[in-house]
Amino acid sequence: MRILILGGTSFVGRAIADDALRSGAEVTLFTRGRTNPGLFPDAVHLIGDRDTGDYDALRGGSWDAVVDVTGYRPHQVDQAMDALGDRVGRYLFVSSHSVYEQEGLAPGSDESAPLRAPLREAAQLTDATYGRLKVACEDDVRARYGDRATIVRPGKVAGPHDDQRGLTYWARRAAQGGRIALPGRPEQPVQLVDVRDLARLVVRLVRDDRAGAFHAVGPAEPTTLGALIATCAEAAGTEAEVVPVPPESSPQMFFPLVRPEPTWTGQQRSAARARAAGLPATPLAVTAADVLAWDRERGEPPLGHGFTPEQEALALASVARSR
């Protein structure tokens, strides 16, 4: 099978390319040639730039499927489809859970939940624009390819090579053990999908020539933020105590996976359709252990978010004083 990946050398695209190659597919990567340029020597590498509209490298050749990992704006997707035309069999677009309306959502929502209004132009990718731009991208893919269109909507993705640093902070902090300050509530639901499970689903969908939209969420069993941190500690072989601290102890700080309560149902989506189509279920403990091992191997560079040790000590001290 011949698979073209728009992207393919950074995190999600990297995992998809790796899975496709392991499955025996002939893989072509369309990238700028800047991120991990020596990766995947067995793949064909085409150079272009979606930011400048340079798709010349895609004017020739044909593929059974294209996997679009790097389409964030409708014009990027439209230009890619214009360049490829009918020389691809299936167009699989990697979208996002940000496409959904957040209000009125019930736990266990499936792919039929209401989408946000599409947006075709935006100066910047923000919380207000990102999901709506993705909705417009989805619309364009379906309009062009019809029943040859597939949409995969991942939730929060985790795993080795995670440039989004979602699970990495908590895995690293839990490995240190002790009292862990959490500027949130331990009972908050959390959904994480292992990037390798997401990749396996994508490759299965194109191999099976399957149309439609699919949630890529995990783990298999529902979990909470407190349980996730405990799982990370268990994977690291440490003892940890999660201590909720007031939000004012972390002003202007970003903490991965922490969500305000009105959005919690967005962390309780149904993965039934994707599971039936072949989405695996890597145990969260395995994902956490693999993230920790990868993070240590690369030298644990600064993450740029969360507490410093000094800030965490102050937050924990403030909780102790209030008791």
Side-chain angles (χ1 to χ4, degrees), residues 12 17 19 43 55 94 110-111 115 124 128 140-141 151-152 189 195-196 206 233 262 288 294-295 311-312:
V12 171
D19 192 280
Y55 291 88
V94 178
D110 63 18
E111 292 82 356
L115 302 182
Q124 294 182 322
D140 288 359
V141 171
I151 308 296
V152 174
V195 69
R196 295 160 295 192
V206 296
W294 162 75
D295 190 37
Q311 290 168 333
E312 185 173 30

CSV table of all heavy atoms in Angstrom, one decimal, residues 12 17 19 43 55 94 110-111 115 124 128 140-141 151-152 189 195-196 206 233 262 288 294-295 311-312:
chain,number,residue,atom,x,y,z
A,12,VAL,N,3.0,13.1,16.3
A,12,VAL,CA,1.9,12.3,15.8
A,12,VAL,C,2.3,11.8,14.4
A,12,VAL,O,2.1,10.6,14.1
A,12,VAL,CB,0.6,13.2,15.7
A,12,VAL,CG1,-0.5,12.4,14.9
A,12,VAL,CG2,0.1,13.5,17.1
A,17,ALA,N,4.0,7.5,10.6
A,17,ALA,CA,5.0,7.0,9.6
A,17,ALA,C,5.7,5.8,10.1
A,17,ALA,O,5.9,4.8,9.3
A,17,ALA,CB,6.0,8.1,9.4
A,19,ASP,N,4.5,3.5,12.2
A,19,ASP,CA,3.6,2.4,12.1
A,19,ASP,C,3.3,1.9,10.7
A,19,ASP,O,3.3,0.7,10.4
A,19,ASP,CB,2.2,2.7,12.8
A,19,ASP,CG,1.3,1.5,13.0
A,19,ASP,OD1,0.7,1.1,12.0
A,19,ASP,OD2,1.3,1.0,14.1
A,43,ALA,N,11.8,5.7,3.7
A,43,ALA,CA,10.6,6.4,3.1
A,43,ALA,C,11.1,7.3,2.0
A,43,ALA,O,12.3,7.7,2.0
A,43,ALA,CB,9.9,7.2,4.2
A,55,TYR,N,3.6,23.3,-3.0
A,55,TYR,CA,3.2,21.9,-3.2
A,55,TYR,C,3.8,21.3,-4.5
A,55,TYR,O,3.2,20.3,-4.9
A,55,TYR,CB,1.7,21.8,-3.1
A,55,TYR,CG,1.1,22.1,-1.8
A,55,TYR,CD1,0.7,23.4,-1.4
A,55,TYR,CD2,0.9,21.1,-0.9
A,55,TYR,CE1,0.2,23.7,-0.2
A,55,TYR,CE2,0.3,21.4,0.4
A,55,TYR,CZ,-0.1,22.7,0.7
A,55,TYR,OH,-0.6,23.0,1.9
A,94,VAL,N,-6.4,14.4,10.0
A,94,VAL,CA,-6.3,14.4,11.5
A,94,VAL,C,-6.8,15.7,12.0
A,94,VAL,O,-6.1,16.7,11.8
A,94,VAL,CB,-4.8,14.1,11.9
A,94,VAL,CG1,-4.7,14.1,13.4
A,94,VAL,CG2,-4.3,12.7,11.3
A,110,ASP,N,-20.6,10.9,21.4
A,110,ASP,CA,-19.9,10.3,20.2
A,110,ASP,C,-19.7,11.3,19.1
A,110,ASP,O,-19.8,12.5,19.3
A,110,ASP,CB,-20.7,9.1,19.7
A,110,ASP,CG,-22.1,9.5,19.2
A,110,ASP,OD1,-22.3,10.7,18.9
A,110,ASP,OD2,-23.0,8.6,19.1
A,111,GLU,N,-19.3,10.8,17.9
A,111,GLU,CA,-18.9,11.7,16.8
A,111,GLU,C,-20.1,12.5,16.2
A,111,GLU,O,-19.8,13.4,15.4
A,111,GLU,CB,-18.3,10.8,15.7
A,111,GLU,CG,-17.0,10.1,16.1
A,111,GLU,CD,-17.1,8.9,16.9
A,111,GLU,OE1,-18.2,8.5,17.3
A,111,GLU,OE2,-16.1,8.2,17.2
A,115,LEU,N,-20.9,20.3,16.2
A,115,LEU,CA,-19.7,21.0,15.9
A,115,LEU,C,-19.8,22.5,16.1
A,115,LEU,O,-20.9,23.1,16.0
A,115,LEU,CB,-19.2,20.6,14.5
A,115,LEU,CG,-19.0,19.1,14.2
A,115,LEU,CD1,-18.5,19.0,12.8
A,115,LEU,CD2,-18.1,18.5,15.2
A,124,GLN,N,-4.4,34.2,13.9
A,124,GLN,CA,-3.7,33.3,14.7
A,124,GLN,C,-4.5,32.1,15.1
A,124,GLN,O,-5.7,32.1,15.1
A,124,GLN,CB,-3.2,34.1,16.0
A,124,GLN,CG,-2.3,35.2,15.8
A,124,GLN,CD,-1.9,35.9,17.1
A,124,GLN,OE1,-2.7,36.1,18.0
A,124,GLN,NE2,-0.6,36.3,17.2
A,128,ALA,N,-9.9,30.2,20.6
A,128,ALA,CA,-11.2,30.6,19.9
A,128,ALA,C,-11.2,30.3,18.5
A,128,ALA,O,-12.3,30.2,17.9
A,128,ALA,CB,-11.3,32.1,20.1
A,140,ASP,N,-14.2,20.8,4.0
A,140,ASP,CA,-13.6,20.8,2.7
A,140,ASP,C,-13.2,19.5,2.2
A,140,ASP,O,-13.3,19.1,1.1
A,140,ASP,CB,-12.4,21.8,2.6
A,140,ASP,CG,-12.9,23.3,2.7
A,140,ASP,OD1,-14.1,23.5,2.8
A,140,ASP,OD2,-12.0,24.2,2.7
A,141,VAL,N,-12.6,18.7,3.2
A,141,VAL,CA,-12.2,17.3,2.8
A,141,VAL,C,-13.4,16.5,2.4
A,141,VAL,O,-13.4,15.7,1.4
A,141,VAL,CB,-11.4,16.7,4.0
A,141,VAL,CG1,-11.2,15.2,3.7
A,141,VAL,CG2,-10.1,17.4,4.2
A,151,ILE,N,-12.1,11.2,8.8
A,151,ILE,CA,-11.8,12.2,9.8
A,151,ILE,C,-11.4,11.5,11.1
A,151,ILE,O,-12.2,10.7,11.6
A,151,ILE,CB,-12.9,13.2,10.1
A,151,ILE,CG1,-13.4,13.7,8.7
A,151,ILE,CG2,-12.5,14.3,11.0
A,151,ILE,CD1,-12.5,14.6,8.0
A,152,VAL,N,-10.3,11.7,11.7
A,152,VAL,CA,-9.9,11.2,13.0
A,152,VAL,C,-9.7,12.4,13.9
A,152,VAL,O,-9.0,13.4,13.6
A,152,VAL,CB,-8.5,10.4,12.9
A,152,VAL,CG1,-8.1,10.0,14.3
A,152,VAL,CG2,-8.7,9.2,12.0
A,189,PRO,N,-12.0,14.2,35.4
A,189,PRO,CA,-11.7,13.1,34.4
A,189,PRO,C,-10.7,13.5,33.4
A,189,PRO,O,-10.5,14.7,33.1
A,189,PRO,CB,-13.1,12.9,33.7
A,189,PRO,CG,-13.8,14.2,33.9
A,189,PRO,CD,-13.3,14.7,35.2
A,195,VAL,N,0.1,7.9,21.6
A,195,VAL,CA,0.3,8.3,20.2
A,195,VAL,C,0.5,7.1,19.3
A,195,VAL,O,0.1,7.1,18.1
A,195,VAL,CB,1.6,9.2,20.1
A,195,VAL,CG1,2.9,8.5,20.4
A,195,VAL,CG2,1.7,9.9,18.7
A,196,ARG,N,1.0,6.0,19.8
A,196,ARG,CA,1.2,4.8,19.0
A,196,ARG,C,-0.2,4.1,18.7
A,196,ARG,O,-0.4,3.5,17.7
A,196,ARG,CB,2.1,3.8,19.7
A,196,ARG,CG,3.6,4.4,19.8
A,196,ARG,CD,4.4,3.8,20.9
A,196,ARG,NE,3.9,4.1,22.2
A,196,ARG,CZ,4.5,3.8,23.4
A,196,ARG,NH1,5.7,3.3,23.3
A,196,ARG,NH2,4.0,4.1,24.5
A,206,VAL,N,-6.9,3.5,6.9
A,206,VAL,CA,-6.6,3.6,5.5
A,206,VAL,C,-6.4,2.3,4.8
A,206,VAL,O,-6.8,2.1,3.7
A,206,VAL,CB,-5.4,4.5,5.2
A,206,VAL,CG1,-5.6,6.0,5.7
A,206,VAL,CG2,-4.1,4.0,5.9
A,233,ALA,N,3.5,7.8,39.2
A,233,ALA,CA,4.4,7.4,40.3
A,233,ALA,C,4.7,5.9,40.4
A,233,ALA,O,5.8,5.5,40.6
A,233,ALA,CB,3.8,7.9,41.6
A,262,PRO,N,-16.5,23.1,34.0
A,262,PRO,CA,-17.5,23.1,32.9
A,262,PRO,C,-17.1,22.4,31.6
A,262,PRO,O,-18.0,22.0,30.8
A,262,PRO,CB,-17.7,24.6,32.6
A,262,PRO,CG,-17.3,25.3,33.9
A,262,PRO,CD,-16.2,24.5,34.4
A,288,ALA,N,3.0,6.0,30.5
A,288,ALA,CA,3.8,6.9,31.4
A,288,ALA,C,5.2,6.4,31.6
A,288,ALA,O,6.1,7.2,31.6
A,288,ALA,CB,3.1,6.8,32.8
A,294,TRP,N,11.9,8.0,27.8
A,294,TRP,CA,12.3,8.9,26.7
A,294,TRP,C,12.7,10.3,27.3
A,294,TRP,O,13.8,10.8,26.8
A,294,TRP,CB,11.1,9.1,25.8
A,294,TRP,CG,11.2,10.3,24.9
A,294,TRP,CD1,12.0,10.4,23.8
A,294,TRP,CD2,10.5,11.5,25.0
A,294,TRP,NE1,11.9,11.7,23.2
A,294,TRP,CE2,11.0,12.4,24.0
A,294,TRP,CE3,9.6,12.0,25.9
A,294,TRP,CZ2,10.5,13.7,23.8
A,294,TRP,CZ3,9.1,13.3,25.8
A,294,TRP,CH2,9.5,14.1,24.7
A,295,ASP,N,12.0,10.8,28.2
A,295,ASP,CA,12.4,12.1,28.8
A,295,ASP,C,13.8,12.1,29.5
A,295,ASP,O,14.6,13.0,29.3
A,295,ASP,CB,11.3,12.5,29.8
A,295,ASP,CG,11.5,14.0,30.3
A,295,ASP,OD1,11.8,14.8,29.4
A,295,ASP,OD2,11.2,14.3,31.5
A,311,GLN,N,8.4,27.4,43.6
A,311,GLN,CA,6.9,27.7,43.5
A,311,GLN,C,6.1,26.6,44.1
A,311,GLN,O,5.1,26.9,44.8
A,311,GLN,CB,6.5,28.0,42.1
A,311,GLN,CG,7.1,29.2,41.5
A,311,GLN,CD,7.0,29.3,40.0
A,311,GLN,OE1,6.9,28.3,39.3
A,311,GLN,NE2,7.0,30.5,39.4
A,312,GLU,N,6.4,25.4,43.9
A,312,GLU,CA,5.6,24.3,44.4
A,312,GLU,C,5.7,24.3,45.9
A,312,GLU,O,4.7,24.0,46.6
A,312,GLU,CB,6.1,23.0,43.8
A,312,GLU,CG,5.2,21.8,44.3
A,312,GLU,CD,5.5,20.5,43.6
A,312,GLU,OE1,6.7,20.3,43.2
A,312,GLU,OE2,4.6,19.7,43.4
